Amino acid sequence: MAGNEHIVILTGAGISAESGIDTFRSAGGLWEQHRVEDVATPEGFARDPDLVLGFYDRRREALANVEPNPAHAALARLEREFAGRLLLVTQNVDDLHERGGSERVLHMHGELKSALCSGCGVRSRWDAALSDRPPCPSCKAPSLRPDVVWFGEMPYRMEAIYKALAECDLFVSIGTSGAVYPAAGFVQEAAASGARTLELNLEPSEGSHLFAEQRHGPASTLVPQWVDEVLAG
Ligand code: NAD
Ligand code: APR
């Protein structure tokens, strides 16, 4: 890649699969274990807050038992070489990109390690459980919820993402099914602005046909190989 080219990378649950974190739509995935309507919507939270707080407490606790895999490490290596010319957008709410060494990660669906106060709207770094209704660090009210974007809510930082897509030279989608918008439409935004597009996924996604190039296989193999190619020149 030329020395002034910009890359936008989108990752989904598939990049964390080999670290042992369930994806959503693969066999046995999260949406086979729980109804989306019950644990990933504002209505579900209003209906049964204990169920939802417990669901995300268990996912937050599980982070202690998993490690980043070579795909996360490869993206951190790429970031170091492309300082300032790489934007990593993830739909994932885990912290494996950061633990794998990436420093500039845009979590468009929020993060398990953050809590949002339904009262004052302040977001706080959060490692503990929310089921016991701890007080908001800012307003002290017992109104903390997972800082995770649910269906029907607006993902974070969309303006910054669309700006980067309009300006990038290469868009790479890694480990996402292409089933959920607005992320599923990013490839079309990038292509419309003249960027090259590449899909790295275990198998063809719902949007594979929209990519100029697709490589299929496990992320822990594909991503390091691709990063080596980019860094070699
Ligand atoms: P959505 O964006 O997931 O849309 C629901 C379904 O409608 C999609 O699966 C897609 O098949 C279809 N769809 C939506 N927009 C479309 C479009 N423009 N063209 C064609 N098909 C389209 O549902 P939502 O309520 O808009 O979700 C809002 C945000 O919340 C999304 O970014 C979603 O990923 C996010 N979310 C996060 C979590 C979580 O646990 N982090 C869970 C659910 C949803
Ligand atoms: N390597 C690469 N890709 C993989 C691997 C792997 N080892 N394992 C699974 N995949 C791919 C699957 O082929 C699938 O295309 O990862 C993708 C996972 O898709 P989903 O389970 O739908 O996860 P994701 O695309 O991140 O979901 C998007 O939907 O429910 C909402 O907000 C939630 O962020 C999530 C969004």
Side-chain angles (χ1 to χ4, degrees):
M1 287 190 69
N4 60 347
E5 294 204 309
H6 286 69
I7 305 179
V8 173
I9 294 176
L10 170 70
T11 63
I15 200 170
S16 298
E18 290 163 270
S19 295
I21 296 184
D22 285 341
T23 63
F24 291 91
R25 295 169 183 82
S26 303
L30 277 175
W31 296 152
E32 286 184 8
Q33 303 162 36
H34 307 276
R35 283 176 3 113
V36 170
E37 297 78 4
D38 293 338
V39 293
T41 62
E43 298 76 11
F45 183 57
R47 199 165 44 242
D48 188 345
D50 288 330
L51 172 73
V52 175
L53 293 174
F55 173 69
Y56 287 97
D57 281 355
R58 286 193 301 279
R59 291 177 69 193
R60 187 178 309 103
E61 288 155 13
L63 291 179
N65 308 320
V66 296
E67 294 295 327
N69 66 58
H72 297 103
L75 294 185
R77 187 156 49 94
L78 186 68
E79 181 187 69
R80 286 192 291 275
E81 297 297 321
F82 268 69
R85 292 189 289 128
L86 168 66
L87 177 64
L88 174 55
V89 181
T90 187
Q91 297 173 94
N92 298 340
V93 293
D94 64 53
D95 60 349
L96 292 180
H97 279 303
E98 290 84 353
R99 290 166 55 197
S102 290
E103 294 181 4
R104 192 176 168 230
V105 185
L106 197 165
H107 283 271
M108 66 178 284
H109 289 167
E111 302 175 68
L112 288 170
K113 291 289 190 75
S114 174
L116 172 66
C117 180
S118 308
C120 69
V122 167
R123 300 166 69 190
S124 310
R125 301 309 304 161
W126 201 262
D127 272 325
L130 291 171
S131 297
D132 49 5
R133 302 297 200 285
C136 164
S138 177
C139 73
K140 310 308 177 199
S143 46
L144 291 178
R145 57 161 272 188
D147 184 14
V148 167
V149 176
W150 289 327
F151 279 97
E153 295 180 327
M154 181 53 72
Y156 288 127
R157 307 282 307 283
M158 293 309 298
E159 192 174 330
I161 294 170
Y162 284 122
K163 182 174 184 298
L165 291 169
E167 296 167 356
C168 75
D169 303 284
L170 174 62
F171 173 71
V172 185
S173 176
I174 303 172
T176 183
S177 57
V180 174
Y181 287 77
F186 289 176
V187 57
Q188 290 157 300
E189 296 290 330
S193 63
R196 303 187 306 281
T197 56
L198 168 64
E199 175 179 78
L200 305 178
N201 201 61
L202 189 64
E203 73 259 325
S205 72
E206 291 189 27
S208 280
H209 61 288
L210 300 170
F211 288 84
E213 183 188 357
Q214 309 103 15
R215 298 182 193 181
H216 296 137
S220 64
T221 304
L222 289 188
V223 179
Q225 280 173 349
W226 170 70
V227 169
D228 287 344
E229 286 172 24
V230 171
L231 296 184

